[in-house]
Short mmCIF file of all heavy atoms in Angstrom, two decimals:
data_model
loop_
_atom_site.label_atom_id
_atom_site.label_comp_id
_atom_site.label_asym_id
_atom_site.label_seq_id
_atom_site.Cartn_x
_atom_site.Cartn_y
_atom_site.Cartn_z
N MET A 215 -0.16 -32.54 3.51
CA MET A 215 0.02 -31.10 3.26
C MET A 215 1.49 -30.70 3.42
O MET A 215 2.02 -29.93 2.62
CB MET A 215 -0.86 -30.29 4.22
CG MET A 215 -0.90 -28.82 3.91
SD MET A 215 -1.67 -28.49 2.33
CE MET A 215 -1.21 -26.80 2.06
N LYS A 216 2.13 -31.22 4.46
CA LYS A 216 3.54 -30.88 4.69
C LYS A 216 4.43 -31.34 3.53
O LYS A 216 5.40 -30.67 3.19
CB LYS A 216 4.02 -31.48 6.01
CG LYS A 216 3.47 -30.77 7.23
CD LYS A 216 4.12 -31.26 8.51
CE LYS A 216 3.63 -30.47 9.71
NZ LYS A 216 4.27 -30.88 10.97
N ILE A 219 4.10 -28.80 0.77
CA ILE A 219 4.85 -27.60 1.11
C ILE A 219 6.35 -27.84 0.89
O ILE A 219 7.05 -27.00 0.32
CB ILE A 219 4.58 -27.20 2.58
CG1 ILE A 219 3.14 -26.68 2.71
CG2 ILE A 219 5.57 -26.14 3.06
CD1 ILE A 219 2.70 -26.46 4.14
N VAL A 237 -0.75 -15.38 3.42
CA VAL A 237 -1.79 -16.08 4.16
C VAL A 237 -2.86 -15.10 4.64
O VAL A 237 -2.54 -13.99 5.08
CB VAL A 237 -1.20 -16.82 5.38
CG1 VAL A 237 -2.27 -17.67 6.07
CG2 VAL A 237 -0.01 -17.70 4.97
N THR A 238 -4.12 -15.51 4.55
CA THR A 238 -5.24 -14.73 5.09
C THR A 238 -6.02 -15.63 6.05
O THR A 238 -5.85 -16.86 6.05
CB THR A 238 -6.19 -14.24 3.98
OG1 THR A 238 -6.94 -15.36 3.49
CG2 THR A 238 -5.42 -13.59 2.83
N PRO A 239 -6.91 -15.06 6.85
CA PRO A 239 -7.73 -15.88 7.74
C PRO A 239 -8.62 -16.87 6.97
O PRO A 239 -9.10 -17.85 7.54
CB PRO A 239 -8.59 -14.86 8.49
CG PRO A 239 -7.77 -13.61 8.47
CD PRO A 239 -7.09 -13.61 7.13
N GLN A 240 -8.84 -16.61 5.67
CA GLN A 240 -9.68 -17.49 4.86
C GLN A 240 -8.87 -18.58 4.15
O GLN A 240 -9.40 -19.31 3.31
CB GLN A 240 -10.44 -16.66 3.80
CG GLN A 240 -11.50 -15.73 4.37
CD GLN A 240 -10.91 -14.45 4.96
OE1 GLN A 240 -9.91 -13.95 4.47
NE2 GLN A 240 -11.53 -13.96 6.01
N ALA A 241 -7.59 -18.71 4.47
CA ALA A 241 -6.73 -19.68 3.80
C ALA A 241 -7.28 -21.10 3.96
O ALA A 241 -7.87 -21.44 4.98
CB ALA A 241 -5.32 -19.61 4.35
N ASN A 242 -7.07 -21.90 2.92
CA ASN A 242 -7.53 -23.28 2.92
C ASN A 242 -6.34 -24.20 2.65
O ASN A 242 -5.64 -23.98 1.67
CB ASN A 242 -8.60 -23.45 1.84
CG ASN A 242 -9.27 -24.80 1.89
OD1 ASN A 242 -9.21 -25.49 2.91
ND2 ASN A 242 -9.89 -25.20 0.80
N PRO A 243 -6.07 -25.16 3.52
CA PRO A 243 -6.86 -25.56 4.69
C PRO A 243 -6.75 -24.54 5.82
O PRO A 243 -5.81 -23.74 5.85
CB PRO A 243 -6.23 -26.91 5.08
CG PRO A 243 -4.82 -26.80 4.62
CD PRO A 243 -4.87 -26.02 3.33
N ILE A 244 -7.68 -24.60 6.75
CA ILE A 244 -7.75 -23.58 7.79
C ILE A 244 -6.54 -23.61 8.73
O ILE A 244 -6.27 -22.62 9.40
CB ILE A 244 -9.06 -23.70 8.61
CG1 ILE A 244 -9.16 -25.09 9.27
CG2 ILE A 244 -10.27 -23.43 7.74
CD1 ILE A 244 -10.34 -25.22 10.21
N ASN A 245 -5.83 -24.72 8.76
CA ASN A 245 -4.65 -24.82 9.62
C ASN A 245 -3.34 -24.59 8.87
O ASN A 245 -2.27 -24.94 9.35
CB ASN A 245 -4.61 -26.18 10.32
CG ASN A 245 -4.53 -27.35 9.33
OD1 ASN A 245 -4.82 -27.19 8.15
ND2 ASN A 245 -4.15 -28.52 9.82
N LEU A 246 -3.44 -23.97 7.66
CA LEU A 246 -2.25 -23.75 6.84
C LEU A 246 -1.19 -22.95 7.58
O LEU A 246 0.00 -23.28 7.55
CB LEU A 246 -2.62 -23.05 5.53
CG LEU A 246 -1.44 -22.66 4.63
CD1 LEU A 246 -0.67 -23.89 4.17
CD2 LEU A 246 -1.93 -21.86 3.43
N ASP A 247 -1.59 -21.88 8.26
CA ASP A 247 -0.61 -21.04 8.94
C ASP A 247 0.14 -21.82 10.01
O ASP A 247 1.36 -21.70 10.15
CB ASP A 247 -1.30 -19.82 9.56
CG ASP A 247 -0.31 -18.82 10.13
OD1 ASP A 247 0.48 -18.26 9.36
OD2 ASP A 247 -0.32 -18.63 11.35
N ARG A 248 -0.57 -22.64 10.76
CA ARG A 248 0.08 -23.44 11.80
C ARG A 248 1.04 -24.45 11.20
O ARG A 248 2.14 -24.66 11.70
CB ARG A 248 -0.98 -24.17 12.65
CG ARG A 248 -0.38 -25.03 13.75
CD ARG A 248 -1.45 -25.65 14.62
NE ARG A 248 -2.39 -26.47 13.87
CZ ARG A 248 -2.12 -27.71 13.46
NH1 ARG A 248 -0.94 -28.27 13.71
NH2 ARG A 248 -3.04 -28.39 12.80
N ILE A 249 0.63 -25.06 10.07
CA ILE A 249 1.50 -26.03 9.40
C ILE A 249 2.78 -25.37 8.92
O ILE A 249 3.88 -25.91 9.07
CB ILE A 249 0.76 -26.70 8.22
CG1 ILE A 249 -0.40 -27.55 8.73
CG2 ILE A 249 1.72 -27.55 7.39
CD1 ILE A 249 -1.31 -28.07 7.64
N LEU A 250 2.65 -24.17 8.35
CA LEU A 250 3.83 -23.44 7.87
C LEU A 250 4.75 -23.08 9.03
O LEU A 250 5.97 -23.20 8.93
CB LEU A 250 3.40 -22.18 7.11
CG LEU A 250 2.74 -22.42 5.75
CD1 LEU A 250 2.11 -21.12 5.23
CD2 LEU A 250 3.74 -22.96 4.74
N GLU A 251 4.16 -22.63 10.13
CA GLU A 251 4.96 -22.29 11.31
C GLU A 251 5.73 -23.52 11.80
O GLU A 251 6.92 -23.45 12.10
CB GLU A 251 4.07 -21.75 12.41
CG GLU A 251 4.83 -21.32 13.65
CD GLU A 251 3.93 -20.74 14.72
OE1 GLU A 251 2.71 -20.98 14.67
OE2 GLU A 251 4.44 -20.04 15.61
N GLU A 252 5.05 -24.66 11.87
CA GLU A 252 5.69 -25.89 12.31
C GLU A 252 6.77 -26.36 11.33
O GLU A 252 7.69 -27.09 11.72
CB GLU A 252 4.64 -26.99 12.48
CG GLU A 252 3.69 -26.75 13.64
CD GLU A 252 2.55 -27.75 13.68
OE1 GLU A 252 2.41 -28.55 12.71
OE2 GLU A 252 1.78 -27.74 14.67
#
Side-chain angles (χ1 to χ4, degrees):
M215 188 65 194
K216 287 188 176 182
I219 290 171
V237 185
T238 73
Q240 292 78 33
N242 188 18
I244 59 174
N245 61 342
L246 175 62
D247 187 64
R248 180 176 58 78
I249 294 171
L250 289 169
E251 182 178 19
E252 292 172 352

